[in-house]
Amino acid sequence: MSFEPISQAIQQEATAATTDQTRSVRVRRGVYSMRERPGFYMVRTRIPAGLISPEQLEAIAALAEEVNWPLGVHLTTRQGLELPGVPADKVVPILEKLQAAGITTFLTGGNSLRSPISCPYAGVTADEVFDVTPYALAVDHYFREVQTSYQVMPRKIKLAFEGCAHTDHVRTQVTDIGLRAVQREGQNGFQVLIAGGLGATPKLARELEAFIPVSELLLTIETILRVFNAHGNRENRSRARLKWLLEEKGLDWFRGEYDRERADLAKNPPALQLPTLTETAPALDGYPAVTEAELGEHYAVWKETNIHEQPQPGRVSVSIRVPNGDLLPQHLRQIAALTRRFAGNVRTSIEQNFLLRHVSAQALPALYLALKEAELDACCADELIDITRCAGSDVCLSALTNSRGAAFKISEAIRGDFSRHPDLRHLRIRVSGCPNSCSHHHTADIGLFGLSRQIHGKPVPHYAIELGGTASGTAVGSRVAEVPALRVGQAVKSTLIFYRDQHTAGEDFAAFVERVGPDAIKERLAPLANVPPPETAPTLYRDLGSDKDFRLTAKRGECAA
Ligand code: HEM
Ligand code: SF4
């Protein structure tokens, strides 16, 4: 694919100005402007189903070293890796090097079918109906390379594949098109959910099909895209996602259009071509012996929280927790090396972590020591302390607040034994820098998003707190309170203590919130919401991580350019 158009767009932006046309060319190639850094870009890679090879990790590490952005690369909530801080003259060389490593950035922005996400446990869990990975990859390839009619739709479409029967690790319920593996009379197929979505107005998906055989996967998806492409709102960007089409016209109407288009497309249906995936696995034994003294106390905690049994005898999967989703180049190199040495392969997860798969259970002590040396031994993956955050104001044009600073503040407040309390540790926290919800904050027990409030004549960075969403996206949280950014750690901790101390036996967090009611929680947090004048409390008027007074600098995002 030619890099000439993007090369021209970048040159034009350097010498003249950003126009709708340059922005559109750029964003379709996954190249986004960076906030308050003219001449610098963020490059978003497409990692379908979270599959990434050690060589690709090393290629990205080399580029991150070249770019030298202080935070390294960012692992996203859609299994992708983002490379911020790329100067204009390096954009095209970086895209070329990514391409040479077999990584595209094509259609990671714009109104296209984005990279499908897929359950990272596919192929390594006993809960699985069947391995959905080849289907996710086939769909990615088909709509990127073969059927190119859906690359400029009314708005983006996101797809999620889940193969597990009981746990939804990709939140199909809050995705435009969610596909869940099911079996009927011994035949593999998918339940098809549509029109879920997050953003400022979250919607849970509706069931379009209870079962389609796997052979009809492309036919089904293409039909949905046809209807969306023909009827989605092209006038008003904020009402353009599939969820709004369903909201406005209803499921029955959609089904009518879908049935008609499907019958038409079925006359010449798209052919599904599945890639062949070979799962390799390293030796089961022969790993160096490690003494308990070498392992230390933390090993037991790590082993309890980061290891997942596999159905394959003697094999386990290992989560590498990536605090804040931020990875330095050396971390990427280490993950590549550890994958080669200890695992069959590695995948990214939407929880902003990596999963080493097909590790020998006998290798765990040696692997742990290697992870520790690489500073990748954080325990408690997918637990309370494993806070998800969006790109936020370090990078993102739309950001109102610094979600990274807030995630850090919260982890400081709850770290240690507190976050490992048996009643709390399974809860999840997610932080977004604006209502767009890129961290999926609606699907957290405690979700937060940034906003600004004018107090004593000045803007004060705040977070809205939503409670009671679920990690699997089956319920979204309800907004209960707002606190200044500086107090976000105290507010989260206070809410957690409230639950820890006052929940009834067996009462989960969402049920607790419902029982005590939002007003009780709001009242509890009320002292934290009080903002004195700037003369007496100047730090409340600054965002976390900033020593300057807060000001609103958000611009129109480039998410749909
Ligand atoms: C007005 C513009 C934007 C809107 C409305 C928007 C909306 C969203 C929403 C709703 C999600 C999460 C839910 C989902 O998966 O569907 C999401 C994901 C995400 N957004 Fe945005 N976003 C915008 C701009 C941006 C920008 C400018 C950036 C960064 C430069 C960004 C970074 C991300 C990331 C990293 C994710 C998760 C990963 C992914 O989708 O690949 N977003 N966006
Ligand atoms: S949630 Fe808002 S601030 Fe965070 S990445 Fe998305 S658009 Fe940007």
mmCIF file of all heavy atoms in Angstrom, residues 390-393 396 398-401 403 432-439, ligand 2:
data_model
loop_
_atom_site.group_PDB
_atom_site.id
_atom_site.type_symbol
_atom_site.label_atom_id
_atom_site.label_comp_id
_atom_site.label_asym_id
_atom_site.label_seq_id
_atom_site.Cartn_x
_atom_site.Cartn_y
_atom_site.Cartn_z
ATOM 1 N N CYS A 390 -7.367 5.441 30.032
ATOM 2 C CA CYS A 390 -7.343 5.759 28.602
ATOM 3 C C CYS A 390 -6.073 6.539 28.275
ATOM 4 O O CYS A 390 -5.275 6.856 29.155
ATOM 5 C CB CYS A 390 -8.565 6.578 28.235
ATOM 6 S SG CYS A 390 -8.458 8.272 28.849
ATOM 7 N N ALA A 391 -5.914 6.881 27.011
ATOM 8 C CA ALA A 391 -4.716 7.621 26.585
ATOM 9 C C ALA A 391 -4.613 8.962 27.320
ATOM 10 O O ALA A 391 -3.536 9.371 27.754
ATOM 11 C CB ALA A 391 -4.769 7.827 25.080
ATOM 12 N N GLY A 392 -5.739 9.655 27.447
ATOM 13 C CA GLY A 392 -5.789 10.871 28.262
ATOM 14 C C GLY A 392 -4.991 12.040 27.715
ATOM 15 O O GLY A 392 -4.546 12.044 26.569
ATOM 16 N N SER A 393 -4.797 13.044 28.579
ATOM 17 C CA SER A 393 -4.305 14.333 28.097
ATOM 18 C C SER A 393 -2.823 14.336 27.735
ATOM 19 O O SER A 393 -2.315 15.331 27.248
ATOM 20 C CB SER A 393 -4.591 15.424 29.133
ATOM 21 O OG SER A 393 -3.929 15.113 30.334
ATOM 22 N N CYS A 396 -4.218 12.775 23.893
ATOM 23 C CA CYS A 396 -5.496 12.831 23.188
ATOM 24 C C CYS A 396 -6.070 14.243 23.101
ATOM 25 O O CYS A 396 -6.155 14.949 24.109
ATOM 26 C CB CYS A 396 -6.461 11.913 23.933
ATOM 27 S SG CYS A 396 -8.132 12.049 23.365
ATOM 28 N N SER A 398 -9.116 15.137 22.670
ATOM 29 C CA SER A 398 -10.421 15.322 23.314
ATOM 30 C C SER A 398 -10.335 15.372 24.831
ATOM 31 O O SER A 398 -11.328 15.644 25.494
ATOM 32 C CB SER A 398 -11.352 14.157 22.960
ATOM 33 O OG SER A 398 -11.355 13.923 21.596
ATOM 34 N N ALA A 399 -9.168 15.069 25.380
ATOM 35 C CA ALA A 399 -9.081 14.898 26.837
ATOM 36 C C ALA A 399 -9.421 16.177 27.586
ATOM 37 O O ALA A 399 -9.052 17.278 27.187
ATOM 38 C CB ALA A 399 -7.678 14.449 27.212
ATOM 39 N N LEU A 400 -10.124 16.001 28.686
ATOM 40 C CA LEU A 400 -10.374 17.112 29.594
ATOM 41 C C LEU A 400 -9.400 17.039 30.764
ATOM 42 O O LEU A 400 -8.948 18.059 31.269
ATOM 43 C CB LEU A 400 -11.822 17.058 30.094
ATOM 44 C CG LEU A 400 -12.881 17.121 28.977
ATOM 45 C CD1 LEU A 400 -14.273 16.862 29.527
ATOM 46 C CD2 LEU A 400 -12.839 18.473 28.291
ATOM 47 N N THR A 401 -9.099 15.829 31.198
ATOM 48 C CA THR A 401 -8.212 15.674 32.355
ATOM 49 C C THR A 401 -7.158 14.602 32.085
ATOM 50 O O THR A 401 -7.263 13.833 31.135
ATOM 51 C CB THR A 401 -9.021 15.236 33.594
ATOM 52 O OG1 THR A 401 -9.698 14.027 33.261
ATOM 53 C CG2 THR A 401 -9.997 16.293 34.043
ATOM 54 N N SER A 403 -5.950 11.372 32.783
ATOM 55 C CA SER A 403 -6.402 10.103 33.370
ATOM 56 C C SER A 403 -5.232 9.300 33.946
ATOM 57 O O SER A 403 -5.404 8.532 34.888
ATOM 58 C CB SER A 403 -7.132 9.268 32.321
ATOM 59 O OG SER A 403 -6.327 9.120 31.174
ATOM 60 N N SER A 432 -11.233 7.349 32.583
ATOM 61 C CA SER A 432 -11.148 8.024 31.282
ATOM 62 C C SER A 432 -10.939 9.519 31.513
ATOM 63 O O SER A 432 -11.411 10.073 32.508
ATOM 64 C CB SER A 432 -12.443 7.849 30.488
ATOM 65 O OG SER A 432 -12.744 6.491 30.276
ATOM 66 N N GLY A 433 -10.284 10.154 30.548
ATOM 67 C CA GLY A 433 -10.029 11.589 30.669
ATOM 68 C C GLY A 433 -11.156 12.459 30.137
ATOM 69 O O GLY A 433 -11.056 13.685 30.133
ATOM 70 N N CYS A 434 -12.233 11.844 29.670
ATOM 71 C CA CYS A 434 -13.409 12.594 29.214
ATOM 72 C C CYS A 434 -14.565 11.603 29.086
ATOM 73 O O CYS A 434 -14.354 10.395 29.231
ATOM 74 C CB CYS A 434 -13.121 13.308 27.881
ATOM 75 S SG CYS A 434 -13.298 12.263 26.430
ATOM 76 N N PRO A 435 -15.769 12.080 28.791
ATOM 77 C CA PRO A 435 -16.904 11.137 28.759
ATOM 78 C C PRO A 435 -16.850 10.093 27.640
ATOM 79 O O PRO A 435 -17.641 9.159 27.634
ATOM 80 C CB PRO A 435 -18.120 12.059 28.562
ATOM 81 C CG PRO A 435 -17.667 13.408 28.970
ATOM 82 C CD PRO A 435 -16.208 13.474 28.663
ATOM 83 N N ASN A 436 -15.912 10.226 26.685
ATOM 84 C CA ASN A 436 -15.892 9.274 25.567
ATOM 85 C C ASN A 436 -15.671 7.829 25.996
ATOM 86 O O ASN A 436 -15.941 6.901 25.246
ATOM 87 C CB ASN A 436 -14.827 9.664 24.546
ATOM 88 C CG ASN A 436 -15.275 10.832 23.699
ATOM 89 O OD1 ASN A 436 -16.461 11.089 23.577
ATOM 90 N ND2 ASN A 436 -14.327 11.547 23.138
ATOM 91 N N SER A 437 -15.081 7.647 27.136
ATOM 92 C CA SER A 437 -15.021 6.316 27.775
ATOM 93 C C SER A 437 -14.080 5.310 27.129
ATOM 94 O O SER A 437 -14.358 4.121 27.095
ATOM 95 C CB SER A 437 -16.416 5.705 27.907
ATOM 96 O OG SER A 437 -16.864 5.161 26.705
ATOM 97 N N CYS A 438 -12.954 5.797 26.638
ATOM 98 C CA CYS A 438 -12.005 4.872 26.007
ATOM 99 C C CYS A 438 -11.429 3.866 27.001
ATOM 100 O O CYS A 438 -10.917 2.825 26.600
ATOM 101 C CB CYS A 438 -10.903 5.651 25.302
ATOM 102 S SG CYS A 438 -11.566 6.804 24.092
ATOM 103 N N SER A 439 -11.483 4.150 28.293
ATOM 104 C CA SER A 439 -11.022 3.148 29.277
ATOM 105 C C SER A 439 -12.129 2.152 29.600
ATOM 106 O O SER A 439 -11.930 1.252 30.401
ATOM 107 C CB SER A 439 -10.592 3.832 30.573
ATOM 108 O OG SER A 439 -11.739 4.190 31.336
HETATM 109 S S1 SF4 B 2 -11.676 8.848 27.048
HETATM 110 FE FE1 SF4 B 2 -11.520 10.880 26.244
HETATM 111 S S2 SF4 B 2 -9.525 11.546 27.007
HETATM 112 FE FE2 SF4 B 2 -9.509 9.364 27.122
HETATM 113 S S3 SF4 B 2 -8.580 8.714 25.168
HETATM 114 FE FE3 SF4 B 2 -10.823 8.680 24.955
HETATM 115 S S4 SF4 B 2 -11.323 10.599 24.011
HETATM 116 FE FE4 SF4 B 2 -9.277 10.801 24.900
#
